[in-house]
């Protein structure tokens, strides 16, 4: 016989009571683990999208809603392309890069994708009208990623993924997002027909984990033509110089283009960040609740257990157990309960996160092994502190009264 | 040697003091076989618990092998119980979720023996009591007589010098009861001091000495406990 064996046997003898006693703590840990898990991946997704985007200011049609940043440019509203030249010819400082886009929905074999028209940098620079503005003749500013000597330069097509800038793109060429390519089974140099026009696939873009994966990119003017809407844009993405943003770049652009909505990424992802923050503080509330409810559940169970085992405790004392042994026996039990609650809470919570993550937050969630440490810590600390007073009352039981009552 | 020196015991019963013993002294010799009889409530169990180091008297000393046990700190008193005292209860008090073997292992476990030693000793004691084929049975799977034998094995496991039994035959039929008394005689012959509390005159007669306790429920000043010993 060992202490561990003794405690396990007793736990198994009264499984149902144990489950009831642990229920609150188990549910609490489950919810916390699930929320932490989802929050972590949702924050990571935001960071990833931001990183992939490169741009930090968007010029959007006045009436779009900002519920979902990533679809802000596919709400079917446009403004004239002429705004780009207005912007390029202005004397606004701190615009490092401009990227006008038009996004329209397309359908291929019952599947819906977004066709996004972009303007390659070569043409952009070639436009005499814009050259004078000198945006691209300026030295690279704070918003561009510098080339680091010694690092192999990336495939030029991949720079779209990182910087949203592409050097060349012919009128009949398209770039295909990784998910689209996967779904349609196309690869580079294949031909693909979109809205009645035949395109050749210039490249399949690498996986980014963002909405870009389910987009198809073509030349802006081609897309404008196919949409039949004329020279319009659904968004201008701007890489703004950070210190200029704080000096009022946004309001200057807004002043220049009063018919548009000019927003920073920060503003747009704000809702998402707010949701995440809410999840964080909500999980704090949950921690407080399980500390109370879970602790009360355990304490209640433990007091009942001590009461039920009075005779057994008296007998053990008669057999030579000291009060220290009785205390250890109940605290050991508390630790075991905490471990059981923590581990099963972690497993259930992870399962919940994996199931709900894609549904409520629209993100893929993976199990996070580090959370098990948190789950165990919370659960064990609660179980042990809630059991301390019941355990002490057991250790202080008068063995005589427990043996005399029949 | 087991000595009661000027023992008094007063309970607080609903805030009323209830004196069960008033300055009694008695001496038991090593190897004595003593039965304690008396009406219900006369203090038999109280006396046994005091002898076993489980309940301190209100005043006076319990001296076992020259040691005043209630002057020891609680931990040493527990140690003392582990090494010298073996208890048997009327209701057996087996741990319900442990097998017969594990129940007998408990005092050995508390005494710090390794698991292998515990099993070896417990098995041999259970075999001595004819329960070699019931090692893995839980108390609920054993007959009443078998349960009492497991309790006897548990008492014997740590090789006590003093055996204290509170109505050990109280819930047994006459035949089983006689077997249990045979067992007590046997372990008494091994040199252990045996003290048995009983209601049953036939059981009491088998002991070498008899202590008769009086009724303490009557008001204390009207009647002092009868304190007699019969050889
Ligand atoms: N823990 C206790 N608190 C108060 N009174 C008690 C307690 N234990 C026993 N008594 C009283 O002391 C007397 C002796 O009890 P006990 O030793 O159990 O007697 P017996 O075993 O001879 O029936 C009884 O009157 C009983 O009510
Ligand atoms: Mg009694």
């Amino acid at each position: 016989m060992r202490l561990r064996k003794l405690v396990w046997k007793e736990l198994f003898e009264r499984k149902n009571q144990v489950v009831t006693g642990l229920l609150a703590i188990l549910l609490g840990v489950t919810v916390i683990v699930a929320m932490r898990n989802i929050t972590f991946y949702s924050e990571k997704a935001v960071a990833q999208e931001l990183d992939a985007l490169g741009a930090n200011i968007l010029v959007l049609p006045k009436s779009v809603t900002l519920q979902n940043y990533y679809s802000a440019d596919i709400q079917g509203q446009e403004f004239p392309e002429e705004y780009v030249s207005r912007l390029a010819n202005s004397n606004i400082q701190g615009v490092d890069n401009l990227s006008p886009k038009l996004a329209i929905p397309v359908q291929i074999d019952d599947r819906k994708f977004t066709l996004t028209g972009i303007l390659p940098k070569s043409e952009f620079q070639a436009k005499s009208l814009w050259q004078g503005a000198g945006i691209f003749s300026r030295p690279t500013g704070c918003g561009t990623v510098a080339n680091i000597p010694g690092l192999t330069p990336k495939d030029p097509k991949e720079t779209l993924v990182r910087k949203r800038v592409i050097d060349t793109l012919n009128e009949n060429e398209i770039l295909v997002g990784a998910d689209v390519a996967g779904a349609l089974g196309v690869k580079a140099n294949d031909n693909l027909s979109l809205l009645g026009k035949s395109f050749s696939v210039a490249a399949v873009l690498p996986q980014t984990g963002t909405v870009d994966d389910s987009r198809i990119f073509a030349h802006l003017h081609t897309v404008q033509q196919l949409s039949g809407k004329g020279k319009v844009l659904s968004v201008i993405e701007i890489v703004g110089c950070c210190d200029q943003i704080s000096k009022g770049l946004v309001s200057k652009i807004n002043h220049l283009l009063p018919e548009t909505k000019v927003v920073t990424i920060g503003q747009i992802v704000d809702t998402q960040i707010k949701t995440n923050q809410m999840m964080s503080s909500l999980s704090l509330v949950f921690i407080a609740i399980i500390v109370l409810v879970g602790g009360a559940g355990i304490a209640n169970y433990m007091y009942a257990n001590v009461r039920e085992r009075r005779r057994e405790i008296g007998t053990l004392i008669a057999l030579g157990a000291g009060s220290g042994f009785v205390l250890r026996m109940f605290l050991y039990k508390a630790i075991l309960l905490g471990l059981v609650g923590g581990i099963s809470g972690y497993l259930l919570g992870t399962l919940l996160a994996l199931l709900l993550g894609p549904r409520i937050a629209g993100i893929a969630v993976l199990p996070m092994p580090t959370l098990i440490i948190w789950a165990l810590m919370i659960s064990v600390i609660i179980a042990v502190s809630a059991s301390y007073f019941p355990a002490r009352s057991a250790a202080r039981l008068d063995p005589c009264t427990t043996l005399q009552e029949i | 040697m087991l000595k009661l020196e000027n023992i008094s015991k007063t309970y607080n019963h609903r805030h009323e003091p209830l004196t069960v013993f008033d300055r009694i002294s008695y001496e038991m010799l090593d190897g004595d076989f003593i039965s304690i009889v008396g009406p219900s409530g006369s203090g038999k169990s109280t006396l046994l618990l005091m002898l076993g180091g489980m309940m301190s008297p209100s005043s006076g000393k319990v001296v076992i092998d020259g040691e005043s046990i209630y002057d020891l700190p609680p931990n040493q008193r527990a140690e003392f119980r582990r090494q010298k005292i073996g208890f048997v209860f009327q209701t057996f008090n087996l741990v319900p979720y442990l097998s017969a073997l594990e129940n007998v292992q408990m005092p050995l476990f508390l005494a710090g023996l390794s698991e292998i030693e515990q099993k070896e000793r417990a098995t041999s004691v259970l075999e001595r009591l004819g329960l070699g084929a019931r090692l893995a049975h839980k108390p609920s799977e054993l007959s009443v007589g078998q349960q009492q034998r497991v309790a006897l094995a548990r008492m014997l496991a740590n090789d006590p010098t003093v055996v204290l039994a509170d109505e050990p035959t109280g819930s047994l039929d006459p035949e089983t009861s006689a077997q249990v008394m045979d067992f007590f005689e046997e372990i008494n012959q091994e040199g252990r001091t045996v003290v048995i509390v009983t209601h049953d005159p036939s059981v009491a007669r088998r002991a070498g000495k008899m202590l008769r306790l009086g009724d303490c429920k009557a008001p204390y000043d009207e009647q002092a406990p009868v304190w007699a010993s019969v050889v």
Side-chain angles (χ1 to χ4, degrees):
Chain A
M1 185 59 51
R2 280 148 73 185
L3 187 59
R4 182 161 42 123
K5 199 163 152 192
L6 184 71
V7 173
W8 266 122
K9 293 215 167 211
E10 199 275 330
L11 275 179
F12 268 94
E13 182 76 6
R14 303 182 170 96
K15 290 191 265 326
N16 296 344
Q17 294 176 21
V18 173
V19 172
T20 325
L22 268 180
L23 205 61
I25 226 175
L26 176 76
L27 289 181
V29 172
T30 302
V31 172
I32 288 180
V33 167
M35 290 205 313
R36 286 266 165 219
N37 204 337
I38 292 176
T39 311
F40 175 83
Y41 278 96
S42 141
E43 274 167 4
K44 199 170 148 181
V46 171
Q48 219 169 27
E49 307 252 12
L50 277 183
D51 186 48
L53 199 70
N56 51 19
I57 296 173
L58 297 186
V59 179
L60 295 161
K62 194 113 201 154
S63 54
V64 299
T65 57
L66 300 177
Q67 295 304 340
N68 187 343
Y69 162 73
Y70 310 104
S71 61
D73 63 339
I74 51 168
Q75 293 178 21
Q77 285 141 30
E78 294 90 16
F79 53 80
E81 187 181 348
E82 178 258 329
Y83 286 7
V84 179
S85 39
R86 241 199 258 175
L87 201 57
N89 289 317
S90 74
N91 56 359
I92 294 175
Q93 296 289 311
V95 175
D96 270 355
N97 207 339
L98 287 175
S99 172
K101 299 195 329 187
L102 173 64
I104 57 171
V106 288
Q107 196 161 339
I108 310 166
D109 308 339
D110 288 345
R111 287 167 190 271
K112 288 201 172 81
F113 300 104
T114 301
L115 177 63
T116 305
I118 53 173
L119 207 53
K121 199 171 169 181
S122 54
E123 270 175 67
F124 207 85
Q125 279 173 309
K127 291 214 170 181
S128 53
L129 184 60
W130 294 350
Q131 256 182 343
I135 285 177
F136 299 105
S137 50
R138 279 183 214 146
T140 44
C142 55
T144 10
V145 184
N147 270 332
I148 301 162
L151 284 183
T152 34
K154 286 207 169 160
D155 175 354
K157 298 289 182 207
E158 276 190 36
T159 55
L160 176 71
V161 178
R162 283 285 313 158
K163 292 196 277 176
R164 305 238 127 191
V165 180
I166 185 95
D167 285 331
T168 53
L169 194 65
N170 290 334
E171 301 277 334
N172 63 343
E173 275 181 337
I174 49 171
L175 300 169
V176 180
D179 289 350
V180 182
L184 298 177
V186 297
K187 47 189 190 308
N189 303 323
D190 282 1
N191 283 323
L192 195 64
S193 167
L194 288 174
L195 302 169
K197 181 176 166 69
S198 172
F199 289 94
S200 112
V201 177
V204 172
L205 298 170
Q207 190 89 33
T208 60
T210 68
V211 285
D212 280 357
D213 292 346
S214 48
R215 290 197 182 201
I216 301 167
F217 297 89
H219 195 288
L220 176 64
H221 296 151
T222 313
V223 176
Q224 284 173 338
Q225 219 171 349
L226 289 174
S227 76
K229 288 175 177 169
K231 298 241 166 231
V232 291
L233 299 175
S234 43
V235 64
I236 305 173
E237 293 178 352
I238 300 176
V239 179
C241 204
C242 298
D243 62 329
Q244 289 298 330
I245 292 178
S246 60
K247 282 180 198 156
L249 179 58
V250 171
S251 66
K252 282 182 202 160
I253 298 173
N254 220 342
H255 193 74
L256 185 71
L257 307 171
E259 296 303 302
T260 62
K261 185 179 259 177
V262 184
V263 288
T264 62
I265 300 290
Q267 279 171 289
I268 302 166
V269 291
D270 222 28
T271 22
Q272 223 140 351
I273 288 167
K274 275 206 186 97
T275 314
N276 288 341
Q277 277 168 347
M278 195 190 66
M279 291 270 264
S280 297
S281 47
L282 207 62
S283 69
L284 278 182
V285 170
F286 258 94
I287 289 176
I289 290 175
I290 63 154
V291 165
L292 291 177
V293 180
I298 293 267
N300 185 45
Y301 162 72
M302 276 298 205
Y303 270 120
N305 191 244
V306 169
R307 210 160 29 245
E308 196 175 349
R309 295 170 70 189
R310 288 162 64 96
R311 179 168 289 268
E312 181 193 332
I313 295 164
T315 307
L316 290 181
I317 291 173
L319 293 178
S323 57
F325 174 83
V326 177
L327 189 70
R328 272 205 307 284
M329 184 168 81
F330 280 95
L331 288 183
Y332 194 97
K333 175 167 173 162
I335 293 174
L336 275 186
L337 288 178
L339 291 178
V340 169
I343 291 172
S344 23
Y346 169 78
L347 293 177
L348 276 179
T350 301
L351 194 70
L352 203 66
L354 296 188
L355 290 177
L356 290 186
R359 251 160 251 183
I360 62 169
I363 46 157
V365 172
L366 292 175
M368 288 172 64
T370 46
L371 282 182
I372 199 167
I373 295 169
W374 285 102
L376 286 178
M377 254 170 45
I378 294 173
S379 178
V380 170
I381 289 174
I382 293 172
V384 170
S385 19
S387 302
Y388 178 72
F389 286 102
R392 205 180 58 168
S393 81
R396 288 180 178 178
L397 267 185
D398 180 1
C400 308
T401 53
T402 68
L403 290 173
Q404 280 173 337
E405 63 198 24
I406 293 180
Chain B
M1 209 168 55
L2 217 156
K3 232 165 36 177
L4 301 170
E5 284 180 9
N6 233 0
I7 292 286
S8 299
K9 179 69 192 178
T10 304
Y11 282 117
N12 245 335
H13 188 67
R14 301 211 176 107
H15 307 292
E16 289 284 314
L18 173 73
T19 300
V20 187
F21 295 108
D22 186 23
R23 284 160 293 165
I24 58 158
S25 295
Y26 188 71
E27 210 176 292
M28 301 177 185
L29 301 174
D30 287 345
D32 266 355
F33 189 174
I34 298 172
S35 64
I36 300 177
V37 295
S40 181
S42 57
K44 303 183 296 295
S45 299
T46 303
L47 185 63
L48 215 58
L49 289 169
M50 288 196 298
L51 280 172
M54 293 280 283
M55 175 161 49
S56 57
S58 309
S59 69
K61 282 182 178 176
V62 177
V63 180
I64 301 181
D65 293 340
E67 193 113 54
S68 171
I69 56 173
Y70 291 101
D71 289 330
L72 295 173
N75 278 346
Q76 279 180 40
R77 204 156 60 242
E79 171 80 24
F80 176 89
R81 283 198 298 273
R82 279 203 285 277
Q83 297 190 339
K84 298 218 162 139
I85 309 286
F87 272 104
V88 184
F89 309 94
Q90 179 182 354
T91 49
F92 320 139
N93 291 6
L94 296 175
V95 181
Y97 53 88
L98 295 182
S99 69
L101 182 68
E102 289 160 344
N103 263 286
V104 180
Q105 275 177 253
M106 279 310 290
L108 303 166
F109 158 58
L110 291 170
L113 267 66
S114 78
E115 229 178 335
I116 298 170
E117 288 173 304
Q118 292 171 27
K119 278 193 178 143
E120 266 172 25
R121 256 216 83 114
T123 309
S124 80
V125 181
L126 280 164
E127 276 166 356
R128 173 173 171 184
L129 280 140
L131 288 167
R134 297 282 184 280
L135 300 182
H137 287 54
K138 294 249 179 90
S140 57
E141 299 157 357
L142 295 169
S143 74
V144 176
Q146 285 169 334
Q147 287 179 40
Q148 183 59 308
R149 275 189 281 158
V150 174
L152 292 173
R154 185 176 66 182
M155 172 273 286
L156 200 59
N158 62 348
D159 197 20
T161 52
V162 178
V163 174
L164 304 171
D166 198 348
E167 313 208 19
T169 58
S171 10
L172 303 177
D173 60 70
E175 197 183 330
T176 329
S177 157
Q179 280 170 11
V180 167
M181 286 312 292
D182 288 345
F183 174 77
F184 278 113
E185 252 166 32
E186 197 181 308
I187 62 167
N188 175 238
Q189 241 115 69
E190 291 169 3
R192 301 175 217 273
T193 308
V194 177
V195 183
I196 290 184
V197 167
T198 184
H199 264 116
D200 184 345
S202 71
V203 167
R205 269 195 297 277
R206 290 185 66 164
K209 295 177 182 173
M210 186 156 75
L211 272 180
R212 189 183 299 278
L213 302 191
D215 188 357
C216 71
K217 275 177 185 154
Y220 168 65
D221 51 2
E222 279 176 28
Q223 186 185 357
V226 179
W227 180 250
S229 81
V230 182
V231 180

